[in-house]
Amino acid sequence: MFTDDAGKGGISAGGPGNSAESNRRTGGDLVQLITPGGERVSHPEFDPWVQDVSDEQLGALYEDMVAIRRIDAEATALQRQGELALWPPLLGQEASQIGSARALRDDDFVFPSYRDNGVAYCRGVNPEDIVKAWRGNALAGWDPYTVNVATQQIIIGAQTLHATGYAMGIQNDGADSVAVAYFGDGATSEGDVNEALVFAASFQSPVVFFCQNNHWAISEPVRLQSHIQIADRAAGFGIPSMRVDGNDVLAVMAATRIAIDRARRGGGPTFIEAVTYRMGPHTTADDPTRYRDANELEDWAAKDPIARLKSLLERKGLLTEALETAFAGSRAGEFRAGGDSYRILVQLADAERRAPEEVLDLTLSTPSGDSVALRNLVSAETGRGPQLIERRNQQRLVNVKAGVTGRDLGSIAEDVQAKLNRIPRPTGYELVVAGSIEEQA
């Protein structure tokens, strides 16, 4: 239950449409719509905001979370194999990112932190573009104006200022879109965040401050940074706030919809604290076992956001085998496993939007430290017509790493070919091992 400054009132039980009039609230109790066991619980103030979420949409949210967890795991593996310079895992925070991002309109503009890859995914950023900057060969992974997502901010909290400035521009334009800033609990100790809150409150700008309280600012626990609920800090700036279970995708969506609606109606900024947990390291350069109790990790594992939604779907009789594996045919298929010895990153999901010579661009990699390069691996063969004849022999140089310990190179080539044969491809194309095998130094 959220209360206003006088300890009265709250979000109107009348449902969506009243948020602009319900302001100056403090964080209050943790709002939850799905328990860790997967039971749907009623909340008279928040239920109206998600009453339109159908069973099919619940399944889509589940698919989103499973897909982004898969992408996150594959990116972590790629970093461990030396393919990426660094990676910030989001394991455990899927519901916070998916639930909030799916509440936005296309013309809303997102200002993410470095960990908000699930948000980027929901906004339409290609999985392969998400990892570009982390490979170290690109300044950014995407054009912000094609997906309305700013490039990820490494400087802690700086994106809150950018979001507030953008929101002030929205006001000047007379538009009803909204800016959303994503940041973590550690960022609330930064001056930039506090300055952004001051400006947003002063100008009543249409901006949502979405704080993912994952309990750790690298190795510093949130209890050292804040002796009160983080959401309650917003009251000092005159900004209404909400505190939700960040592992509950439905509660997160409801809270975000409330905040977005308030901003669109001229109600000014809102601060959301999504209480979640960083199950992995701060980045792949971090070792959380040096500062985190294993019992704490176990406690939060029982609150896993994907497991609880899966349990709800099972309770409703909605979780079929097809749904559970549906992500394999979605954008997560670009980060798919190719067998016991190989992990395959395949860029074929959007083949119809790519030029014929691009659809066969792929990278295979394995956890093995021993590796060889299969050069000129893929050749495009097609009988589609004269217009493609000049491309039929075009070969893409791809970097393929395969474990070779105890195996001859010929058997590896046969293995790779067998796995290529199982990769979905556009009609008329054949993936073949077409080059020589050269050992890498």
Side-chain angles (χ1 to χ4, degrees), residues 91-144:
L91 180 64
Q93 298 179 219
E94 295 88 355
S96 291
Q97 296 191 20
I98 300 300
S100 59
R102 289 303 185 197
L104 307 182
R105 222 166 57 185
D106 287 346
D107 61 339
D108 296 328
F109 209 102
V110 172
F111 294 83
S113 75
Y114 48 84
R115 200 184 306 280
D116 298 312
N117 297 303
V119 177
Y121 169 84
C122 285
R123 300 293 283 178
V125 177
N126 293 324
E128 65 268 27
D129 291 336
I130 291 175
V131 301
K132 276 183 179 177
W134 299 102
R135 187 172 173 83
N137 58 1
L139 295 177
W142 58 84
D143 177 355

Short mmCIF file of all heavy atoms in Angstrom, two decimals, residues 91-144:
data_model
loop_
_atom_site.label_atom_id
_atom_site.label_comp_id
_atom_site.label_asym_id
_atom_site.label_seq_id
_atom_site.Cartn_x
_atom_site.Cartn_y
_atom_site.Cartn_z
N LEU A 91 21.74 -11.82 -14.98
CA LEU A 91 21.08 -12.99 -14.41
C LEU A 91 20.34 -12.63 -13.12
O LEU A 91 20.92 -12.10 -12.18
CB LEU A 91 22.12 -14.08 -14.12
CG LEU A 91 21.59 -15.39 -13.52
CD1 LEU A 91 20.67 -16.08 -14.51
CD2 LEU A 91 22.76 -16.30 -13.14
N GLY A 92 19.04 -12.93 -13.10
CA GLY A 92 18.21 -12.64 -11.94
C GLY A 92 17.38 -11.38 -12.08
O GLY A 92 16.41 -11.17 -11.33
N GLN A 93 17.72 -10.53 -13.04
CA GLN A 93 17.03 -9.25 -13.20
C GLN A 93 16.13 -9.22 -14.43
O GLN A 93 15.69 -8.16 -14.87
CB GLN A 93 18.06 -8.12 -13.27
CG GLN A 93 18.90 -7.99 -12.01
CD GLN A 93 19.94 -6.89 -12.07
OE1 GLN A 93 21.06 -7.06 -11.59
NE2 GLN A 93 19.58 -5.75 -12.64
N GLU A 94 15.81 -10.38 -14.97
CA GLU A 94 15.03 -10.44 -16.20
C GLU A 94 13.64 -9.82 -16.06
O GLU A 94 13.18 -9.11 -16.96
CB GLU A 94 14.90 -11.90 -16.67
CG GLU A 94 16.20 -12.55 -17.09
CD GLU A 94 16.94 -13.21 -15.94
OE1 GLU A 94 16.49 -13.08 -14.77
OE2 GLU A 94 17.99 -13.84 -16.20
N ALA A 95 12.96 -10.08 -14.96
CA ALA A 95 11.60 -9.56 -14.79
C ALA A 95 11.59 -8.04 -14.71
O ALA A 95 10.68 -7.39 -15.26
CB ALA A 95 10.96 -10.17 -13.55
N SER A 96 12.57 -7.47 -14.04
CA SER A 96 12.65 -6.01 -13.93
C SER A 96 12.78 -5.36 -15.30
O SER A 96 12.13 -4.35 -15.60
CB SER A 96 13.83 -5.61 -13.04
OG SER A 96 13.61 -5.97 -11.69
N GLN A 97 13.61 -5.95 -16.14
CA GLN A 97 13.88 -5.34 -17.44
C GLN A 97 12.78 -5.63 -18.45
O GLN A 97 12.32 -4.73 -19.17
CB GLN A 97 15.23 -5.83 -17.95
CG GLN A 97 16.39 -5.39 -17.07
CD GLN A 97 17.75 -5.60 -17.67
OE1 GLN A 97 17.90 -5.76 -18.88
NE2 GLN A 97 18.78 -5.63 -16.83
N ILE A 98 12.31 -6.87 -18.50
CA ILE A 98 11.28 -7.22 -19.47
C ILE A 98 9.94 -6.59 -19.11
O ILE A 98 9.25 -6.02 -19.96
CB ILE A 98 11.13 -8.75 -19.57
CG1 ILE A 98 12.44 -9.40 -20.01
CG2 ILE A 98 9.99 -9.12 -20.51
CD1 ILE A 98 12.96 -8.95 -21.35
N GLY A 99 9.56 -6.68 -17.84
CA GLY A 99 8.28 -6.13 -17.42
C GLY A 99 8.16 -4.64 -17.64
O GLY A 99 7.10 -4.14 -18.05
N SER A 100 9.23 -3.91 -17.40
CA SER A 100 9.20 -2.46 -17.58
C SER A 100 9.28 -2.08 -19.06
O SER A 100 8.54 -1.21 -19.53
CB SER A 100 10.35 -1.81 -16.81
OG SER A 100 11.61 -2.32 -17.23
N ALA A 101 10.16 -2.74 -19.80
CA ALA A 101 10.33 -2.38 -21.21
C ALA A 101 9.09 -2.66 -22.03
O ALA A 101 8.76 -1.92 -22.97
CB ALA A 101 11.52 -3.13 -21.80
N ARG A 102 8.36 -3.73 -21.69
CA ARG A 102 7.14 -4.07 -22.42
C ARG A 102 5.98 -3.16 -22.07
O ARG A 102 4.90 -3.26 -22.67
CB ARG A 102 6.77 -5.53 -22.18
CG ARG A 102 7.70 -6.54 -22.82
CD ARG A 102 7.80 -6.35 -24.32
NE ARG A 102 8.59 -7.39 -24.97
CZ ARG A 102 9.08 -7.30 -26.19
NH1 ARG A 102 8.88 -6.18 -26.90
NH2 ARG A 102 9.79 -8.29 -26.71
N ALA A 103 6.16 -2.25 -21.13
CA ALA A 103 5.12 -1.28 -20.78
C ALA A 103 5.27 0.02 -21.56
O ALA A 103 4.42 0.90 -21.46
CB ALA A 103 5.15 -0.99 -19.28
N LEU A 104 6.32 0.13 -22.36
CA LEU A 104 6.62 1.38 -23.04
C LEU A 104 6.01 1.44 -24.43
O LEU A 104 5.74 0.42 -25.05
CB LEU A 104 8.14 1.57 -23.14
CG LEU A 104 8.93 1.46 -21.84
CD1 LEU A 104 10.40 1.72 -22.10
CD2 LEU A 104 8.39 2.44 -20.80
N ARG A 105 5.87 2.65 -24.91
CA ARG A 105 5.41 2.90 -26.27
C ARG A 105 6.64 3.07 -27.16
O ARG A 105 7.73 3.39 -26.69
CB ARG A 105 4.56 4.17 -26.28
CG ARG A 105 3.32 4.12 -27.12
CD ARG A 105 2.39 5.27 -26.81
NE ARG A 105 2.98 6.60 -26.96
CZ ARG A 105 2.37 7.73 -26.64
NH1 ARG A 105 1.13 7.70 -26.16
NH2 ARG A 105 2.97 8.89 -26.80
N ASP A 106 6.47 2.87 -28.46
CA ASP A 106 7.61 2.96 -29.37
C ASP A 106 8.27 4.33 -29.34
O ASP A 106 9.49 4.45 -29.53
CB ASP A 106 7.17 2.64 -30.81
CG ASP A 106 6.88 1.16 -31.02
OD1 ASP A 106 7.26 0.36 -30.14
OD2 ASP A 106 6.27 0.82 -32.05
N ASP A 107 7.48 5.40 -29.13
CA ASP A 107 8.07 6.74 -29.16
C ASP A 107 8.63 7.18 -27.81
O ASP A 107 9.15 8.29 -27.69
CB ASP A 107 7.06 7.76 -29.67
CG ASP A 107 5.82 7.86 -28.79
OD1 ASP A 107 5.54 6.91 -28.04
OD2 ASP A 107 5.13 8.91 -28.85
N ASP A 108 8.53 6.36 -26.79
CA ASP A 108 9.22 6.65 -25.53
C ASP A 108 10.72 6.43 -25.75
O ASP A 108 11.12 5.62 -26.58
CB ASP A 108 8.70 5.75 -24.41
CG ASP A 108 7.24 6.00 -24.09
OD1 ASP A 108 6.80 7.16 -24.23
OD2 ASP A 108 6.55 5.05 -23.70
N PHE A 109 11.53 7.13 -24.99
CA PHE A 109 12.98 7.04 -25.19
C PHE A 109 13.65 6.50 -23.93
O PHE A 109 13.41 7.00 -22.83
CB PHE A 109 13.58 8.39 -25.57
CG PHE A 109 14.80 8.29 -26.43
CD1 PHE A 109 14.73 8.53 -27.79
CD2 PHE A 109 16.03 7.94 -25.88
CE1 PHE A 109 15.87 8.43 -28.59
CE2 PHE A 109 17.16 7.83 -26.67
CZ PHE A 109 17.08 8.08 -28.04
N VAL A 110 14.48 5.49 -24.10
CA VAL A 110 15.12 4.80 -22.98
C VAL A 110 16.58 5.21 -22.86
O VAL A 110 17.30 5.30 -23.86
CB VAL A 110 15.02 3.27 -23.18
CG1 VAL A 110 15.84 2.53 -22.13
CG2 VAL A 110 13.57 2.82 -23.13
N PHE A 111 17.00 5.43 -21.62
CA PHE A 111 18.40 5.73 -21.32
C PHE A 111 18.92 4.65 -20.37
O PHE A 111 18.71 4.71 -19.16
CB PHE A 111 18.52 7.13 -20.70
CG PHE A 111 18.15 8.23 -21.66
CD1 PHE A 111 16.83 8.58 -21.85
CD2 PHE A 111 19.14 8.89 -22.39
CE1 PHE A 111 16.47 9.58 -22.75
CE2 PHE A 111 18.80 9.89 -23.29
CZ PHE A 111 17.46 10.24 -23.47
N PRO A 112 19.59 3.63 -20.92
CA PRO A 112 19.96 2.46 -20.12
C PRO A 112 21.34 2.55 -19.49
O PRO A 112 22.19 3.36 -19.91
CB PRO A 112 19.93 1.33 -21.16
CG PRO A 112 20.41 2.01 -22.41
CD PRO A 112 19.89 3.42 -22.34
N SER A 113 21.56 1.70 -18.52
CA SER A 113 22.91 1.50 -17.99
C SER A 113 23.54 0.36 -18.78
O SER A 113 22.93 -0.20 -19.70
CB SER A 113 22.86 1.15 -16.50
OG SER A 113 22.43 -0.20 -16.32
N TYR A 114 24.74 0.01 -18.41
CA TYR A 114 25.49 -1.03 -19.14
C TYR A 114 24.89 -2.43 -18.97
O TYR A 114 25.19 -3.32 -19.76
CB TYR A 114 26.94 -1.05 -18.65
CG TYR A 114 27.07 -1.06 -17.15
CD1 TYR A 114 27.00 -2.24 -16.43
CD2 TYR A 114 27.24 0.14 -16.45
CE1 TYR A 114 27.08 -2.24 -15.05
CE2 TYR A 114 27.32 0.15 -15.07
CZ TYR A 114 27.24 -1.04 -14.37
OH TYR A 114 27.31 -1.04 -12.99
N ARG A 115 24.05 -2.65 -17.97
CA ARG A 115 23.52 -3.99 -17.71
C ARG A 115 22.13 -4.22 -18.32
O ARG A 115 21.61 -5.34 -18.26
CB ARG A 115 23.44 -4.23 -16.19
CG ARG A 115 23.37 -5.71 -15.80
CD ARG A 115 23.20 -5.89 -14.30
NE ARG A 115 24.20 -5.19 -13.54
CZ ARG A 115 25.44 -5.62 -13.33
NH1 ARG A 115 25.81 -6.78 -13.82
NH2 ARG A 115 26.31 -4.91 -12.63
N ASP A 116 21.54 -3.21 -18.93
CA ASP A 116 20.14 -3.30 -19.34
C ASP A 116 19.97 -3.87 -20.75
O ASP A 116 19.29 -3.29 -21.61
CB ASP A 116 19.49 -1.92 -19.22
CG ASP A 116 19.51 -1.43 -17.79
OD1 ASP A 116 19.12 -2.21 -16.91
OD2 ASP A 116 19.92 -0.28 -17.56
N ASN A 117 20.57 -5.03 -20.97
CA ASN A 117 20.50 -5.65 -22.29
C ASN A 117 19.12 -6.25 -22.57
O ASN A 117 18.72 -6.36 -23.73
CB ASN A 117 21.57 -6.73 -22.40
CG ASN A 117 22.97 -6.15 -22.29
OD1 ASN A 117 23.34 -5.27 -23.05
ND2 ASN A 117 23.75 -6.62 -21.32
N GLY A 118 18.39 -6.61 -21.52
CA GLY A 118 17.04 -7.08 -21.70
C GLY A 118 16.12 -5.98 -22.22
O GLY A 118 15.22 -6.23 -23.03
N VAL A 119 16.34 -4.77 -21.75
CA VAL A 119 15.57 -3.62 -22.22
C VAL A 119 15.86 -3.37 -23.70
O VAL A 119 14.95 -3.17 -24.51
CB VAL A 119 15.88 -2.37 -21.39
CG1 VAL A 119 15.12 -1.16 -21.93
CG2 VAL A 119 15.54 -2.60 -19.92
N ALA A 120 17.15 -3.40 -24.05
CA ALA A 120 17.54 -3.20 -25.45
C ALA A 120 16.91 -4.27 -26.34
O ALA A 120 16.43 -3.98 -27.44
CB ALA A 120 19.06 -3.22 -25.57
N TYR A 121 16.90 -5.49 -25.87
CA TYR A 121 16.30 -6.61 -26.61
C TYR A 121 14.82 -6.34 -26.88
O TYR A 121 14.33 -6.52 -27.99
CB TYR A 121 16.48 -7.89 -25.81
CG TYR A 121 15.69 -9.09 -26.31
CD1 TYR A 121 16.18 -9.88 -27.34
CD2 TYR A 121 14.46 -9.42 -25.75
CE1 TYR A 121 15.46 -10.97 -27.81
CE2 TYR A 121 13.74 -10.51 -26.19
CZ TYR A 121 14.24 -11.29 -27.22
OH TYR A 121 13.52 -12.36 -27.68
N CYS A 122 14.10 -5.89 -25.86
CA CYS A 122 12.67 -5.61 -26.02
C CYS A 122 12.41 -4.45 -26.97
O CYS A 122 11.36 -4.40 -27.62
CB CYS A 122 12.04 -5.30 -24.66
SG CYS A 122 11.80 -6.73 -23.60
N ARG A 123 13.35 -3.53 -27.06
CA ARG A 123 13.17 -2.38 -27.94
C ARG A 123 13.55 -2.68 -29.38
O ARG A 123 13.45 -1.81 -30.25
CB ARG A 123 13.99 -1.20 -27.42
CG ARG A 123 13.61 -0.74 -26.03
CD ARG A 123 12.23 -0.15 -25.98
NE ARG A 123 12.18 1.21 -26.52
CZ ARG A 123 11.08 1.94 -26.64
NH1 ARG A 123 9.93 1.42 -26.27
NH2 ARG A 123 11.12 3.16 -27.14
N GLY A 124 14.01 -3.90 -29.64
CA GLY A 124 14.30 -4.29 -31.02
C GLY A 124 15.75 -4.31 -31.41
O GLY A 124 16.07 -4.46 -32.59
N VAL A 125 16.65 -4.15 -30.45
CA VAL A 125 18.08 -4.22 -30.76
C VAL A 125 18.44 -5.68 -31.06
O VAL A 125 18.07 -6.58 -30.31
CB VAL A 125 18.94 -3.69 -29.60
CG1 VAL A 125 20.43 -3.85 -29.91
CG2 VAL A 125 18.61 -2.23 -29.33
N ASN A 126 19.15 -5.92 -32.15
CA ASN A 126 19.57 -7.27 -32.51
C ASN A 126 20.54 -7.82 -31.49
O ASN A 126 21.44 -7.09 -31.02
CB ASN A 126 20.23 -7.28 -33.89
CG ASN A 126 19.25 -6.95 -35.01
OD1 ASN A 126 18.10 -7.32 -34.95
ND2 ASN A 126 19.72 -6.22 -36.01
N PRO A 127 20.42 -9.07 -31.12
CA PRO A 127 21.34 -9.66 -30.14
C PRO A 127 22.80 -9.49 -30.51
O PRO A 127 23.64 -9.23 -29.66
CB PRO A 127 20.94 -11.14 -30.11
CG PRO A 127 19.49 -11.12 -30.45
CD PRO A 127 19.34 -10.04 -31.48
N GLU A 128 23.12 -9.63 -31.80
CA GLU A 128 24.52 -9.48 -32.20
C GLU A 128 25.00 -8.05 -32.02
O GLU A 128 26.20 -7.80 -31.82
CB GLU A 128 24.74 -9.95 -33.64
CG GLU A 128 24.03 -9.13 -34.71
CD GLU A 128 22.67 -9.68 -35.06
OE1 GLU A 128 22.04 -10.32 -34.19
OE2 GLU A 128 22.21 -9.45 -36.20
N ASP A 129 24.06 -7.08 -32.09
CA ASP A 129 24.44 -5.68 -31.88
C ASP A 129 24.65 -5.37 -30.40
O ASP A 129 25.42 -4.46 -30.05
CB ASP A 129 23.38 -4.75 -32.45
CG ASP A 129 23.33 -4.79 -33.98
OD1 ASP A 129 24.35 -5.14 -34.58
OD2 ASP A 129 22.27 -4.48 -34.54
N ILE A 130 23.97 -6.11 -29.54
CA ILE A 130 24.12 -5.90 -28.10
C ILE A 130 25.56 -6.16 -27.67
O ILE A 130 26.10 -5.49 -26.78
CB ILE A 130 23.16 -6.82 -27.32
CG1 ILE A 130 21.70 -6.36 -27.53
CG2 ILE A 130 23.48 -6.83 -25.83
CD1 ILE A 130 20.67 -7.27 -26.89
N VAL A 131 26.22 -7.12 -28.31
CA VAL A 131 27.57 -7.50 -27.87
C VAL A 131 28.68 -6.76 -28.59
O VAL A 131 29.86 -6.90 -28.24
CB VAL A 131 27.79 -9.02 -28.02
CG1 VAL A 131 26.77 -9.80 -27.21
CG2 VAL A 131 27.74 -9.44 -29.49
N LYS A 132 28.36 -5.96 -29.60
CA LYS A 132 29.40 -5.32 -30.41
C LYS A 132 30.38 -4.49 -29.58
O LYS A 132 31.60 -4.63 -29.69
CB LYS A 132 28.76 -4.43 -31.47
CG LYS A 132 28.34 -5.16 -32.73
CD LYS A 132 27.77 -4.17 -33.73
CE LYS A 132 27.36 -4.89 -35.02
NZ LYS A 132 26.75 -3.94 -35.98
N ALA A 133 29.84 -3.58 -28.77
CA ALA A 133 30.72 -2.70 -28.00
C ALA A 133 31.55 -3.48 -27.00
O ALA A 133 32.70 -3.10 -26.69
CB ALA A 133 29.90 -1.63 -27.29
N TRP A 134 31.00 -4.58 -26.48
CA TRP A 134 31.72 -5.39 -25.49
C TRP A 134 32.83 -6.22 -26.13
O TRP A 134 33.69 -6.75 -25.43
CB TRP A 134 30.74 -6.28 -24.74
CG TRP A 134 29.71 -5.51 -24.01
CD1 TRP A 134 28.41 -5.29 -24.37
CD2 TRP A 134 29.88 -4.77 -22.79
NE1 TRP A 134 27.77 -4.49 -23.47
CE2 TRP A 134 28.66 -4.16 -22.46
CE3 TRP A 134 30.98 -4.59 -21.92
CZ2 TRP A 134 28.48 -3.36 -21.33
CZ3 TRP A 134 30.80 -3.81 -20.79
CH2 TRP A 134 29.57 -3.21 -20.50
N ARG A 135 32.79 -6.33 -27.43
CA ARG A 135 33.89 -6.99 -28.14
C ARG A 135 35.07 -6.05 -28.31
O ARG A 135 36.20 -6.47 -28.51
CB ARG A 135 33.40 -7.51 -29.49
CG ARG A 135 34.42 -8.36 -30.24
CD ARG A 135 33.79 -9.00 -31.47
NE ARG A 135 34.78 -9.68 -32.29
CZ ARG A 135 35.22 -10.91 -32.07
NH1 ARG A 135 34.75 -11.59 -31.05
NH2 ARG A 135 36.11 -11.46 -32.86
N GLY A 136 34.79 -4.75 -28.22
CA GLY A 136 35.86 -3.76 -28.29
C GLY A 136 36.16 -3.26 -29.68
O GLY A 136 37.15 -2.55 -29.88
N ASN A 137 35.32 -3.60 -30.66
CA ASN A 137 35.60 -3.15 -32.02
C ASN A 137 34.52 -2.21 -32.55
O ASN A 137 34.39 -2.01 -33.75
CB ASN A 137 35.76 -4.35 -32.96
CG ASN A 137 34.54 -5.25 -32.99
OD1 ASN A 137 33.55 -4.98 -32.32
ND2 ASN A 137 34.61 -6.31 -33.76
N ALA A 138 33.72 -1.64 -31.65
CA ALA A 138 32.69 -0.67 -32.06
C ALA A 138 32.47 0.30 -30.91
O ALA A 138 32.55 -0.06 -29.74
CB ALA A 138 31.38 -1.38 -32.41
N LEU A 139 32.20 1.56 -31.27
CA LEU A 139 31.94 2.57 -30.24
C LEU A 139 30.56 2.37 -29.62
O LEU A 139 30.34 2.74 -28.48
CB LEU A 139 32.05 3.97 -30.85
CG LEU A 139 33.44 4.37 -31.36
CD1 LEU A 139 33.40 5.75 -32.00
CD2 LEU A 139 34.44 4.35 -30.20
N ALA A 140 29.65 1.80 -30.39
CA ALA A 140 28.30 1.55 -29.89
C ALA A 140 27.71 0.41 -30.71
O ALA A 140 28.17 0.13 -31.82
CB ALA A 140 27.43 2.80 -30.01
N GLY A 141 26.68 -0.23 -30.14
CA GLY A 141 26.10 -1.37 -30.83
C GLY A 141 24.98 -1.03 -31.78
O GLY A 141 24.67 -1.80 -32.68
N TRP A 142 24.35 0.15 -31.60
CA TRP A 142 23.17 0.46 -32.41
C TRP A 142 23.00 1.96 -32.54
O TRP A 142 23.59 2.76 -31.81
CB TRP A 142 21.92 -0.15 -31.77
CG TRP A 142 21.63 0.31 -30.37
CD1 TRP A 142 20.97 1.46 -29.99
CD2 TRP A 142 21.99 -0.34 -29.15
NE1 TRP A 142 20.90 1.54 -28.63
CE2 TRP A 142 21.51 0.45 -28.08
CE3 TRP A 142 22.67 -1.53 -28.85
CZ2 TRP A 142 21.70 0.10 -26.74
CZ3 TRP A 142 22.86 -1.89 -27.52
CH2 TRP A 142 22.37 -1.08 -26.48
N ASP A 143 22.17 2.35 -33.51
CA ASP A 143 21.80 3.74 -33.71
C ASP A 143 20.65 4.06 -32.76
O ASP A 143 19.56 3.49 -32.90
CB ASP A 143 21.37 3.96 -35.16
CG ASP A 143 20.91 5.38 -35.44
OD1 ASP A 143 20.83 6.19 -34.49
OD2 ASP A 143 20.60 5.68 -36.61
N PRO A 144 20.85 4.95 -31.80
CA PRO A 144 19.80 5.23 -30.81
C PRO A 144 18.46 5.64 -31.40
O PRO A 144 17.41 5.32 -30.85
CB PRO A 144 20.40 6.36 -29.97
CG PRO A 144 21.87 6.21 -30.13
CD PRO A 144 22.07 5.72 -31.54
#
